Amino acid sequence: MKKTALITGISGQDGAYLANFLIKKNYKVIGTDRRSARSDNWRLRRLKIDKKIIYEEMELGEIYEIERIIKKYPFSEIYNLAAQSFVATSFKSPLNTSNITGLGTLRILETIRNINSKIKFYQASSSEMFGDVLNKFQNEKTPLNPQSPYAVSKVFSHYITKNYRKSYNMFAVSGILFNHESPLRGEEFVTRKIVRGLVKIIKNDLKVLEVGNINAKRDWGYAKEYVEAMWKMLQQKKPDDYVISTGNSYTIKEFINLTTKYLNLETKWVGKGIKEKLINKKNNKILIKINPKFFRPAEVNFLNGDCSKAKKKLKWRPKTDLKKLVKIMVDDEINYYKY
Ligand code: NAP
């Protein structure tokens, strides 16, 4: 019989890739989004699956809406991907972030417990929970040290998922995913912002790209591969939490250098600190400069994940290195630029 899955946040990057993955596995996919949805489902159209999904409105702040949807379909799996997911916004809207990214998870768990506690539940936890890291490599046992309202909300969701698993014997798991990018990444996130910004400059649609802290290091993987790990977590005999990462960490500056190289731009960095700039050697024009308005009030300087447990138990491993990921993102940006 066809399995039915619910994906909250269907319009986001991971929602689109996961829906595509589950449809290929012959799932019936119900996708929910909020009433005031920002996106027009361009990601689902890009993957040519927009007509294969049943859409429902579900605001994570409203438990009655969650109850209505969970009662309406015979779900075997629920993937909670919806969140106020942008760290910078979480400093501006900490209450909304806590209500959606934090309490939203509890609303779903409580509804599952009341309606059908056999439904398997996936929570989108984040490497941002490690924050100001306490270990060189972060795995499932590394202490959490969140540095933003977003990360604090994810920590709440992470622990409440563990707590429901233990207290009520529910199949509830968290995937602690390190940064994962793709051509479907939101434009506000730094990797897509860099790729899009540099392509815009080449097309003469932008003069200078402004970025924040270019020395922050991240472990970047390819989103399309990461959604498979989410599904695998729900196919295990026992519920458990897993880190999903590449194990390699690069600075934002290194990401910029890989992008300019792939775009055949000859560049050099000049200046120091907030005065540092990337110059186009051909015409001496500034391509990128630092704007402190993009700095976070509390920074996360370094993230590097150890996904040995996922490799061993889920038989999952990352396949795309950063150079290849940059190529995928740049090629797609140029391809779809005029749209
Ligand atoms: P995304 O592209 O920002 O998608 C977030 C989704 O949540 C969007 O569909 C968004 O709808 C929806 N949403 C926002 N507020 C909502 C609300 N009040 N009620 C219902 N839905 C709401 O994020 P993503 O990259 O796909 O990430 C998926 C999940 O994984 C998120 O929870 C994120 O925090 C987490 N995560 C992501 C990464 C990463 O590197 N991508 C790493 C670790 C964890 P709109 O389109 O209307 O905004």
Side-chain angles (χ1 to χ4, degrees):
M1 216 178 68
K2 231 179 178 177
K3 279 186 178 175
T4 306
L6 170 64
I7 302 176
T8 73
I10 190 80
S11 63
Q13 169 188 258
D14 292 6
Y17 281 123
L18 179 64
N20 195 29
F21 178 85
L22 294 179
I23 287 166
K24 283 192 183 138
K25 289 234 169 266
N26 202 30
Y27 277 69
K28 179 171 167 182
V29 175
I30 317 301
T32 65
D33 215 335
R34 53 182 162 167
R35 251 170 278 128
S36 55
R38 282 182 312 146
S39 131
D40 60 352
N41 286 342
W42 65 273
R43 296 178 173 98
L44 301 166
R45 286 203 308 278
R46 181 81 68 86
L47 298 180
K48 298 189 173 51
I49 52 166
D50 52 313
K51 299 209 166 61
K52 297 184 178 164
I53 290 159
I54 299 172
Y55 299 96
E56 292 280 0
E57 256 173 30
M58 193 176 96
E59 171 58 58
L60 276 190
E62 300 289 348
I63 194 152
Y64 304 108
E65 289 187 9
I66 300 172
E67 281 171 3
R68 182 178 65 79
I69 304 299
I70 295 184
K71 276 183 185 156
K72 190 169 169 186
Y73 299 93
F75 292 117
S76 46
E77 295 170 12
I78 293 180
Y79 296 85
N80 182 32
L81 308 186
Q84 189 306 97
S85 63
F86 193 48
V87 172
T89 302
S90 79
F91 284 103
K92 290 179 192 140
S93 308
L95 291 174
N96 179 55
T97 303
S98 309
N99 189 29
I100 302 306
T101 307
L103 283 176
T105 310
L106 175 57
R107 291 188 187 98
I108 300 177
L109 282 166
E110 188 54 10
T111 308
I112 294 176
R113 182 172 83 85
N114 286 328
I115 294 174
N116 175 8
S117 63
K118 293 276 172 286
I119 299 173
K120 294 180 176 179
F121 175 78
Y122 172 87
Q123 168 57 19
S125 284
S126 164
S127 55
E128 285 287 327
M129 301 189 308
F130 297 118
D132 192 8
V133 293
L134 302 171
N135 289 344
K136 189 167 176 235
F137 287 100
Q138 299 88 54
N139 65 21
E140 297 78 5
K141 295 200 170 103
T142 305
L144 306 178
N145 194 11
Q147 299 293 307
S148 63
Y150 166 78
V152 171
S153 307
K154 284 287 184 189
V155 169
F156 171 80
S157 285
H158 186 70
Y159 281 124
I160 202 71
T161 301
K162 266 184 191 295
N163 180 253
Y164 269 56
R165 172 164 84 218
K166 193 164 180 198
S167 310
Y168 306 118
N169 202 22
M170 283 167 55
F171 199 111
V173 309
S174 289
I176 309 170
L177 271 53
F178 280 63
N179 289 58
H180 44 283
E181 318 297 313
S182 75
L184 304 187
R185 189 65 146 142
E187 282 177 35
E188 65 274 38
F189 293 91
V190 72
T191 53
R192 178 90 196 287
K193 179 177 166 179
I194 291 164
V195 169
R196 188 161 174 77
L198 287 169
V199 170
K200 270 187 169 178
I201 290 175
I202 288 173
K203 303 270 184 196
N204 285 323
D205 285 337
L206 181 73
K207 283 208 166 91
V208 181
L209 176 66
E210 292 186 340
V211 296
N213 176 11
I214 55 172
N215 297 313
K217 273 188 137 181
R218 291 291 183 272
D219 179 329
W220 281 297
Y222 185 19
K224 194 176 168 189
E225 291 165 9
Y226 281 36
V227 298
E228 182 177 5
M230 298 176 184
W231 174 78
K232 283 192 159 188
M233 287 177 213
L234 294 194
Q235 313 313 310
Q236 300 305 298
K237 282 211 174 81
K238 283 188 183 158
D240 206 349
D241 304 328
Y242 296 88
V243 159
I244 299 298
S245 65
T246 68
N248 296 310
S249 190
Y250 297 89
T251 59
I252 291 171
K253 194 173 179 178
E254 285 171 305
F255 185 92
I256 293 172
N257 292 340
L258 285 171
T259 310
T260 51
K261 193 166 177 209
Y262 186 65
L263 283 166
N264 279 326
L265 288 167
E266 275 192 52
T267 58
K268 62 174 179 196
W269 289 97
V270 296
K272 281 220 160 78
I274 59 163
K275 298 234 177 308
E276 199 165 1
K277 295 177 181 65
L278 184 70
I279 307 285
N280 187 346
K281 278 198 201 164
K282 258 196 179 157
N283 52 18
N284 263 337
K285 284 191 176 161
I286 301 170
L287 291 167
I288 296 184
K289 65 179 183 186
I290 313 292
N291 186 339
K293 94 168 181 201
F294 295 115
F295 289 175
R296 296 177 182 182
E299 264 301 342
V300 170
N301 291 313
F302 174 80
L303 291 173
N304 200 355
D306 163 15
C307 68
S308 334
K309 181 172 162 187
K311 282 183 180 161
K312 192 168 165 217
K313 298 214 166 148
L314 304 180
K315 311 276 180 261
W316 177 92
R317 55 184 59 246
K319 296 183 193 94
T320 307
D321 66 16
L322 192 60
K323 200 172 156 198
K324 202 165 153 202
L325 181 59
V326 166
K327 178 182 173 341
I328 293 170
M329 291 179 73
V330 172
D331 286 348
D332 194 273
E333 199 68 54
I334 292 171
N335 242 338
Y336 285 91
Y337 189 73
K338 55 181 178 298
Y339 304 109

